[in-house]
């Protein structure tokens, strides 16, 4: 009996320690930035910057040649006037009081500029908003700053609640200390507020009665009786109460507005975000209804889902979930579910609204790695169509304590909030620019002006066109379990040696495939899921260092760009990797493991060995080691499997690295790589990586096709084309079932062709962890690939490195793409011929047009 007893005492002690961690005294939980309780909300109004009666009830506070900003001094609401066309964009719908759909909290949110979601010590989430919990209490302060206008909000009040009253008071003490000092009215109040427990001889607090006027009278009675905080502590001690003195649930936040040319700049400064340690802030939602369209308006919401998508106003899809996607995908160091969800990720931190009167484009300039884009149409919560960003401040995880007979799960919070401001730029577009192609052009210009894209690539001429790229990924080797005398061991299985790679490339050239860009994966440190690159050992089964040098020489001679592939953010093998020291930690303090998906089971397979997220603190060392080791081979390029595609935190106690810091580490690493004169081909293509890339594989060339979405658009390609070459997933591993559909998508989206091959027969991957390579033997694909390339290149070489400047839907399944040089392609995805712009387009075919400028 002694051992179970010791285990039980141990777990109960651990529970008490963790429970204590939910208080402000714990260094392992959200530290909090305590609010300043002595804040005055007195003061004069803002000085008018111009006279304009265009907006009733609002004062003109800022202006320049492009925009005017108005503010409602009573509510903190704003309106922006685009001076080029006179359109007005309101932070809160001006007709919101007439909205019949919204009620209760949803009605109040229509008048709010900010909403905060926060946790209690059990990890439960509650919300406050700037209208219900600040403006309604007259706890808002306006201030003019050198840059513009600052609005300070305090959410919640310091007013006492029922929690400030003792839960239990002894009979003699209650009657002598409190009741005896009251008049008859006060004594009647106390009889309602407290009930006598004859068995225990105490008066108990009647929480059901302590509301509204009754609560006010009870609090006043205790105050007049001279009841102090010392009295409260005495009653807590004498009656062994678990009650503690309540902490005021006060949150403070400010939002700053300024004008910069044709942009409204909205900033939530980190220094002004204050909250009690007992109530860490989870999310901050900013200007949820800026520019919202009503139930009778026409227009669309632009969401950055994959390549981009439109959600049409009032589409009636209220039975489907609202749109919500994290920018740059999920954090690998957060707890993940086992369920498999196939969806595209957000690569660009943008969103927008397109209305009949104009368009609004939101660009998240700071805090993008912590942002989530939210959107919905009218009819679910209210009568409006809207899109907005929210930002995660404090993340929450869970830790479970288990004994032989008991277990308990407790919340664990991120220790400190990110050290970043949250900045969104809103641009207001008119005329032809008030469209998704116009928004893509605007964002592209914004990126070029701020160093967010590399130098534009040289375009060809009619006399000397540039061939469109053909992307090929060759798999060098994989690990495979073999047996000797019945004992299993891991062996490297060569799938494509360096000599075999040269042979495949020669066969491709003989078939007319040009401008080959070769990603060679699984070439060092034991194959595709290689050991961490603290040193690089070229796999001898593929030909060793001499074989790699021969391949490098061959590719240079043939004008083929070579990109040896390396993973820098994930340890795919635990061998040689000190998990406890070098892996990121989840909030549960467990190393962040990544289990592969089993497509047959539609969930993560936890029966196999996992990969581990490398702590961002260790990434720089692996980058330096990789550059040192790959340098002598003079490959001219490198393929980054994960650095432009993943963004992970490390929640290691007292050494946290949040997503904003992790992003900076990735940017610094990319800068060091380009500093070695290496071209970078990368998977994914997150926005922060774009300035350093020449090529992107697995770029988003489709959306997730969420039920709420109505149209898939090439917003991402329209932003990057002409600066970075890109392609989607390999055709032979993609969801495209028809090569015709793949060709049409390449023509419509301006993307290169992409295949993944190996030289070995397909059976070589049987009974391995690489079953997804079951059909990539090059021989069954090379002729098809050549036919596809010749067809696509005949068209696209005339637009290679040209920006994709126009895109429109002509009919269902019929789209027109226009390029910078004036040439265009109209594609027909339908299985029947269609008539478009006076010309017949055959089934699953295309036509070209325009004149080369």
């Amino acid at each position: 009996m002694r051992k179970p007893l010791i285990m039980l005492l141990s777990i109960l002690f651990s529970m008490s320690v963790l429970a204590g961690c939910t208080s402000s005294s714990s260094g392992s939980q959200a530290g909090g930035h305590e609010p300043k309780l002595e804040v005055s909300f007195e003061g004069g109004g803002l000085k008018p910057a111009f006279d304009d009666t265009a907006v009733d009830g609002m004062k003109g506070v800022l202006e320049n040649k492009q925009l005017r900003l108005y503010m409602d001094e009573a509510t903190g609401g704003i309106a922006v006037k685009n001076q080029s066309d006179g359109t007005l964009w309101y932070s809160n719908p001006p007709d919101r009081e007439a909205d019949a759909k919204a009620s209760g909290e949803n009605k109040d949110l229509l008048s709010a500029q900010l909403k905060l979601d926060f946790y209690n010590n059990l990890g439960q989430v509650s919300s406050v908003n700037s209208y219900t919990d600040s403006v309604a209490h007259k706890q808002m302060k306006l201030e003019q700053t050198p840059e513009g206008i600052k609005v300070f909000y305090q959410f919640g009040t310091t007013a006492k609640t029922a929690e400030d009253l003792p839960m239990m008071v002894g009979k003699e003490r209650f009657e002598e200390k409190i009741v005896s000092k009251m008049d008859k009215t006060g004594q009647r109040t106390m009889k309602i507020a407290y009930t006598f427990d004859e068995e225990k001889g105490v008066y108990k607090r009647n929480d059901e009665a302590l509301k509204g006027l009754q609560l006010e009278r009870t609090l006043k009675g205790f105050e007049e009786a001279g009841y102090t905080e010392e009295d409260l502590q005495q009653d807590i001690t004498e009656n062994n109460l678990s009650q503690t003195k309540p902490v005021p649930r006060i949150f403070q936040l400010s939002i700053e507005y300024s004008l910069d040319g044709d942009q409204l700049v909205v900033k939530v400064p980190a220094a002004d975000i204050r909250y009690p340690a007992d109530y860490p802030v989870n999310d901050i939602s900013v200007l949820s209804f800026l520019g919202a369209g009503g139930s009778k308006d026409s227009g669309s919401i632009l969401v950055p889902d994959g390549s981009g998508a439109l959600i049409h106003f009032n589409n009636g899809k209220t039975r489907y979930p609202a749109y919500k996607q994290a920018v740059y995908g999920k954090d690998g160091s957060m707890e993940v579910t086992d369920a498999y969800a196939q969806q595209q990720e957000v690569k660009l931190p943008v969103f927008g609204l397109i209305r009949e009167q104009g368009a609004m484009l939101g660009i998240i300039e700071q805090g993008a790695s912590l942002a989530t884009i939210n959107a919905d149409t009218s009819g679910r919560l209210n009568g409006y169509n809207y899109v907005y960003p929210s930002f995660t401040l404090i993340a929450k995880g869970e830790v479970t304590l288990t004994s032989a007979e008991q277990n308990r799960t407790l919340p664990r919070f991120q220790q400190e909030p990110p050290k970043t401001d949250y900045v969104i730029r809103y641009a207001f577009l008119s005329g032809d620019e008030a469209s998704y192609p116009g928004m893509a052009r605007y964002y592209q210009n914004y990126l070029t002006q701020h160093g967010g894209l590399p130098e534009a690539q040289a375009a060809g001429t009619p006399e000397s066109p540039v061939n469109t790229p053909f992307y090929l990924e060759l798999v060098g080797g994989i690990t495979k379990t073999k047996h000797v005398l019945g004992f299993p061991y891991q062996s490297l299985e060569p799938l494509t040696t360096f000599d075999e790679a040269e042979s495949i490339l020669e066969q491709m050239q003989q078939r007319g495939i040009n401008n080959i860009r070769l990603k060679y994966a699984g070439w060092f440190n034991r194959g595709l899921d290689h050991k961490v690159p603290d040193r690089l050992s070229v796999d001898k089964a593929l030909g060793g260092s001499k074989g790699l040098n021969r391949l490098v020489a061959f590719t240079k001679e043939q004008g083929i760009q070579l990109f040896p592939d390396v993973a820098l953010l994930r340890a795919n093998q635990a061998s040689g990797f000190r998990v406890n020291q070098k892996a990121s930690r989840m909030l549960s303090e467990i190393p962040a493991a990544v289990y592969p998906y089993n497509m047959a089971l539609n969930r993560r397979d936890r029966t196999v060995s996992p990969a581990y997220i490398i702590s961002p603190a260790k990434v720089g060392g692996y980058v330096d080691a990789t550059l040192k080791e790959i340098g002598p081979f003079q490959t001219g390029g490198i393929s980054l499997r994960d650095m432009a595609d993943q963004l992970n935190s490390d929640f290691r106690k007292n050494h946290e690295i949040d997503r904003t810091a992790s992003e900076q580490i990735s940017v610094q690493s990319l800068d060091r790589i380009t500093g070695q004169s290496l071209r970078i081909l990368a998977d994914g293509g997150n926005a922060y990586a774009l300035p350093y890339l020449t090529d992107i594989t697995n770029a988003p060339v489709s959306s997730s096709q969420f039920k709420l979405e109505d149209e898939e658009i090439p917003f991402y390609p329209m932003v990057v084309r002409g600066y970075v070459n890109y392609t989607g997933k390999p055709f032979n591993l993609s969801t495209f079932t028809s090569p015709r559909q793949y060709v049409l998508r390449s023509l419509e989206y301006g993307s290169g062709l992409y295949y993944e091959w190996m030289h070995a027969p397909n059976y070589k991957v049987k009974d391995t962890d690489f079953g997804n390579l079951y059909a990539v033997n090059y021989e069954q694909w090379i002729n098809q690939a050549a036919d596809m390339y010749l067809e696509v290149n005949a068209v696209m070489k005339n637009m290679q490195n040209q920006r994709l400047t126009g895109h429109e839907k002509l009919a269902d399944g019929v789209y027109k793409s226009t390029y910078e040089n004036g040439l265009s392609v109209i594609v027909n995805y339908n299985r029947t011929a269609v008539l478009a712009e006076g010309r017949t387009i055959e089934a699953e075919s295309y036509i070209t047009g325009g004149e080369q400028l």
Side-chain angles (χ1 to χ4, degrees), residues 253-413:
L253 193 63
S254 67
I255 186 169
E256 299 177 2
Y257 302 100
S258 60
L259 301 180
D260 184 7
D262 61 350
Q263 298 166 3
L264 167 69
V265 183
V266 177
K267 176 180 177 180
V268 177
D272 290 349
I273 302 174
R274 296 185 173 275
Y275 54 91
D278 287 343
Y279 299 102
V281 173
N282 174 219
D283 280 332
I284 300 174
S285 299
V286 181
L287 297 181
S288 301
F289 297 98
L290 179 59
S295 58
K296 296 182 180 179
D297 292 331
S298 298
S300 298
I301 301 168
L302 167 70
V303 292
D305 172 21
S307 64
L310 297 178
I311 302 171
H312 296 324
F313 285 6
N314 311 311
N315 61 15
K317 298 181 179 181
T318 54
R319 60 181 175 174
Y320 301 123
Y323 174 83
K324 184 174 185 177
Q325 269 191 301
V327 175
Y328 306 144
K330 294 181 178 179
D331 189 329
S333 295
M334 293 297 294
E335 300 282 354
V336 293
T337 61
D338 283 349
Y340 179 65
Q342 179 70 36
Q343 66 179 47
Q344 297 294 320
E345 293 181 347
V346 172
K347 300 296 183 184
L348 302 177
V350 295
F351 57 92
L353 287 166
I354 305 170
R355 301 176 59 175
E356 289 181 323
Q357 304 89 344
M360 178 192 79
L361 175 66
I363 302 170
I364 303 175
E365 188 170 71
Q366 292 184 49
S369 57
L370 304 167
T372 295
I373 307 299
N374 309 269
D376 205 357
T377 57
S378 66
R380 189 194 315 276
L381 302 177
N382 53 61
Y384 296 96
N385 307 273
Y386 52 96
V387 61
Y388 65 94
S390 58
F391 300 92
T392 299
L393 198 71
I394 297 294
K396 180 183 77 74
E398 293 180 340
V399 58
T400 301
L401 301 173
T402 305
S403 72
E405 300 176 357
Q406 299 185 32
N407 64 74
R408 183 182 178 188
T409 299
L410 296 171
R412 185 179 288 275
F413 302 102

Side-chain angles (χ1 to χ4, degrees), residues 18-29:
L18 280 169
C21 287
T22 61
S23 72
S24 59
S25 63
S26 169
S28 67
Q29 296 301 291

Side-chain angles (χ1 to χ4, degrees), residues 92-93 96 99 102 105-112 289 382 384:
N92 307 92
R96 58 189 179 276
D99 182 17
E105 181 185 3
N106 291 322
K107 188 82 166 184
D108 287 350
L109 284 172
L110 293 174
S111 298
F289 297 98
N382 53 61
Y384 296 96

Side-chain angles (χ1 to χ4, degrees), residues 67 84 240 271 284 461-462 494 503 545 555 682 756 787:
L67 301 174
S84 66
N240 294 319
I284 300 174
T461 65
S503 172
S545 296
T555 55
E756 183 171 350
D787 292 342

